[in-house]
């Protein structure tokens, strides 16, 4: 039997009104199930007098995180690599929240020079830093080496946030009950740590999505090690999975893959606003007060990360290599000082 004859009954069924209504009902049920148990609007926490930084805050999850913090009357710094989009986000958030203490600052996490310049300006302008959300990330980038000799995806998603956090840690420590949130992903479970890749070596056979997965594992390992070093302070640090979210993070993939992703995403994936819920939960909820070194799932529950993400030796080794590659050791900001 020819293929068109086989497909004909299926096409007739798919065009039937009852089939359409069943599919529509299924989509609505799936969308309703994407909501977690915690909702930002039900949380009364006020952030007046507190300062927050959100990286990648001009779009997607980062934009909604920044909007929520601004609605809670925090002073919010939007750390973005595009001045045009950053300024637009600044105006949008000020307009929709009525908070005039929302400020754009230029930051490209793929450049350690940019990270240092941003951190220096923050240290000059701010006295405290109560919330730091390391949200900026990129996926789908082809393996490449930056001008500073670092693999591009790893620099953007991991080494930049690693350096930024360390450079701002003195401000964070001065702030009561400060929180650091590292946005990771469930994709960390498919990641691995190849230290040679951090300099762009051994990437010839690595797929661009594998490099992304690797950085998400690094985010969790970094969280684990930093929490251990901060255990005698008032600072908490946690990694969070926002869920599978329809954002611009797919912009570097091919057109066909983006179309498929978006078609599947309509019923199954979270919107950027929904994806921002778990990072907001880590940033402001009373339930997360004093909780540190954890991996928070997209439904705002504490979850065990992958076995590799719980490897203490690997976390320590990654910290040491990261300190060397970003110049923290040369600046006297290595593990010994951080553990004081």
């Amino acid at each position: 039997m020819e293929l068109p004859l086989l497909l004909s009954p299926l096409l007739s069924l798919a065009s039937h009104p009852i089939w359409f209504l069943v599919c529509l009902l299924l989509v609505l049920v799936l969308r309703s199930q994407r909501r977690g148990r915690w909702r930002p609007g039900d949380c009364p926490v006020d952030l007046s007098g507190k300062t927050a930084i959100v990286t990648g805050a001009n779009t997607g999850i980062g934009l909604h995180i920044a909007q929520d913090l601004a609605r809670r009357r925090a002073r919010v710094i939007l750390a973005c690599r595009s001045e045009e989009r950053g300024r637009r986000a600044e105006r949008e958030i000020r307009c929709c929240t009525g908070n005039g203490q929302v400020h754009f600052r230029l930051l490209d996490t793929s450049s350690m020079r940019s990270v240092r310049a941003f951190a220096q300006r923050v240290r000059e302008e701010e006295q405290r830093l109560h919330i730091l959300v390391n949200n900026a990330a990129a996926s789908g980038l082809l393996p490449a080496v930056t001008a500073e000799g670092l693999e591009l995806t790893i620099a953007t998603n991991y080494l930049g946030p690693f350096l930024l956090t360390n450079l701002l840690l003195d401000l964070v420590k001065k702030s009561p009950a400060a929180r650091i949130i590292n946005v990771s992903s469930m994709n960390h479970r498919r990641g691995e740590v190849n230290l040679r890749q951090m300099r762009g070596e051994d990437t010839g056979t690595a797929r661009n999505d594998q490099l992304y997965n690797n950085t998400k594992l690094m985010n969790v390992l970094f969280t684990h090690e930093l929490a251990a070093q901060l255990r005698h302070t008032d600072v908490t640090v946690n990694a969070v999975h926002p869920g599978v979210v329809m954002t611009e993070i797919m912009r570097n993939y091919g057109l066909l893959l983006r179309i498929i992703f978006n078609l599947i995403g309509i019923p199954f994936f979270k919107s950027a606003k929904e994806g921002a819920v778990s990072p907001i939960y880590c940033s402001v909820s009373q339930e997360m007060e004093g909780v540190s070194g954890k991996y928070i799932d997209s439904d705002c529950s504490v979850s065990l990360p992958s076995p590799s993400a719980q490897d203490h030796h690997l976390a320590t080794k990654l910290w040491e290599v990261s300190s060397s590659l970003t110049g923290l050791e040369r600046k006297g900001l290595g593990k010994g000082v951080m553990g004081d």
Side-chain angles (χ1 to χ4, degrees):
M1 185 180 292
E2 296 182 2
L3 185 59
L5 293 177
L6 287 171
L7 292 178
S8 181
L10 296 176
L11 293 174
S12 298
L13 177 62
S15 62
H16 196 281
I18 295 179
W19 175 255
F20 174 78
L21 291 174
V22 169
C23 290
L24 179 60
L25 180 62
L26 178 61
V27 168
L28 293 175
V29 170
L30 288 171
R31 289 186 67 87
S32 68
Q33 292 299 312
R34 297 186 316 193
R35 291 191 175 187
R37 59 182 176 84
W38 187 87
R39 298 182 183 181
D42 296 335
C43 177
V45 170
D46 184 278
L47 298 177
S48 297
K50 295 189 175 183
T51 300
I53 292 176
V54 182
T55 67
N58 61 281
T59 188
I61 293 173
L63 177 63
H64 289 284
I65 296 171
Q67 285 178 341
D68 182 90
L69 301 180
R71 287 193 183 98
R72 299 177 191 275
R73 294 191 281 276
R75 173 179 169 83
V76 183
I77 298 172
L78 314 177
C80 314
R81 66 177 181 175
S82 167
E83 180 162 2
E84 178 184 356
R85 299 178 74 181
R87 295 291 184 192
R88 184 165 63 243
E90 178 187 69
R91 293 191 296 269
E92 177 183 338
I93 297 174
R94 286 186 175 188
C95 179
C96 72
T97 66
N99 185 343
Q101 288 298 306
V102 177
H103 305 281
F104 159 76
R105 298 289 183 265
L106 191 65
L107 171 66
D108 179 358
T109 57
S110 73
S111 165
M112 302 307 109
R113 181 177 180 180
S114 175
V115 171
R116 290 185 179 279
F118 173 86
Q120 179 62 32
R121 181 171 182 180
V122 170
R123 291 198 301 266
E124 291 172 353
E125 295 178 343
E126 309 298 332
Q127 299 299 315
R128 298 284 189 275
L129 178 56
H130 302 83
I131 300 170
L132 171 61
V133 183
N134 288 311
N135 164 75
S139 69
L141 300 175
L142 294 176
V145 178
T146 70
E148 296 165 313
L150 305 172
E151 202 290 316
L152 178 59
T153 299
I154 296 176
T156 303
N157 297 359
Y158 167 65
L159 286 172
F162 171 87
L163 178 60
L164 176 65
T165 302
N166 278 283
L167 293 177
L168 296 179
L169 205 52
D170 283 343
L171 279 182
V172 174
K173 287 181 177 180
K174 293 177 182 177
S175 311
R179 303 185 187 189
I180 300 170
I181 297 88
N182 295 322
V183 178
S184 182
S185 168
M186 68 176 183
N187 283 27
H188 84 273
R189 300 183 186 280
R190 299 200 297 268
E192 59 185 27
V193 176
N194 181 338
L195 299 175
R196 291 172 57 83
Q197 287 184 347
M198 299 172 79
R199 285 190 175 275
E201 303 170 9
D202 290 350
T203 61
T205 59
R207 305 184 312 275
N208 44 12
D209 62 322
Q210 184 60 51
L211 288 171
Y212 173 82
N213 298 341
N214 295 352
T215 63
K216 293 298 143 178
L217 173 58
M218 293 176 184
N219 292 150
V220 183
L221 287 165
F222 167 47
T223 301
H224 175 86
E225 180 64 17
L226 182 57
Q229 295 186 27
L230 294 172
R231 61 186 177 276
H232 298 306
T233 72
D234 198 25
V235 180
T236 62
V237 53
N238 292 287
V240 59
H241 168 47
V244 183
V245 184
M246 294 184 66
T247 67
E248 293 183 7
I249 200 164
M250 294 293 293
R251 62 183 175 273
N252 296 312
Y253 288 91
L255 177 61
L256 179 59
L257 188 57
R258 280 181 288 150
I259 291 174
I260 295 173
F261 179 86
N262 288 327
L263 287 175
I264 297 174
I266 292 173
F268 293 104
F269 301 162
K270 290 186 175 185
S271 66
K273 184 176 182 179
E274 291 167 335
V277 170
S278 52
I280 294 170
Y281 173 78
C282 292
S283 301
V284 305
S285 72
Q286 296 169 323
E287 294 93 327
M288 288 299 293
E289 186 174 344
V291 177
S292 190
K294 304 300 182 183
Y295 175 75
I296 309 302
D297 216 331
S298 59
D299 63 353
C300 301
S301 65
V302 177
S303 178
L304 279 178
S306 69
S308 295
Q310 301 176 59
D311 188 327
H312 303 286
H313 174 75
L314 183 58
T316 301
K317 183 62 178 177
L318 178 63
W319 182 286
E320 292 171 352
V321 173
S322 303
S323 296
S324 177
L325 290 176
T326 57
L328 284 177
E329 289 180 341
R330 293 190 296 275
K331 296 296 183 180
L333 293 170
K335 183 175 179 179
V337 174
M338 300 305 299
D340 291 344

